[in-house]
Amino acid sequence: MTLGYKIKSRREELGMSQGELAEKAYVTQASISQIESGKYTPTSPRLVTIAHALKLPPAELLEMGRRAG
């Protein structure tokens, strides 16, 4: 599983739309869409912001991405 898939799965688990996650992570909905589809890999600082928005410790989200790789 990819990092994008993990982000999407967690977002859906929390019942959030892409727009809601984007608002909480201070990015555009298009950015979330591109991350989830694997077209864009976010920078480390952006991943931290997304992890917080997904109510995950950043290290857990990063670990999820590495395992999924």
Side-chain angles (χ1 to χ4, degrees):
M1 285 185 234
T2 65
L3 176 63
Y5 180 83
K6 292 289 189 172
I7 290 171
K8 180 179 179 179
S9 294
R10 177 64 176 166
R11 175 180 60 77
E12 290 176 344
E13 182 179 306
L14 294 173
M16 277 195 231
S17 68
Q18 285 184 344
E20 289 168 327
L21 176 56
E23 186 176 314
K24 291 176 185 271
Y26 309 105
V27 298
T28 64
Q29 181 274 326
S31 293
I32 296 297
S33 177
Q34 289 179 337
I35 291 167
E36 289 184 356
S37 68
K39 293 178 183 175
Y40 171 73
T41 301
T43 61
S44 294
R46 182 66 62 211
L47 266 176
V48 169
T49 305
I50 292 169
H52 285 224
L54 291 171
K55 301 177 184 175
L56 291 172
E60 185 176 335
L61 182 58
L62 293 172
E63 179 63 26
M64 289 167 63
R66 279 197 295 272
R67 279 198 308 259

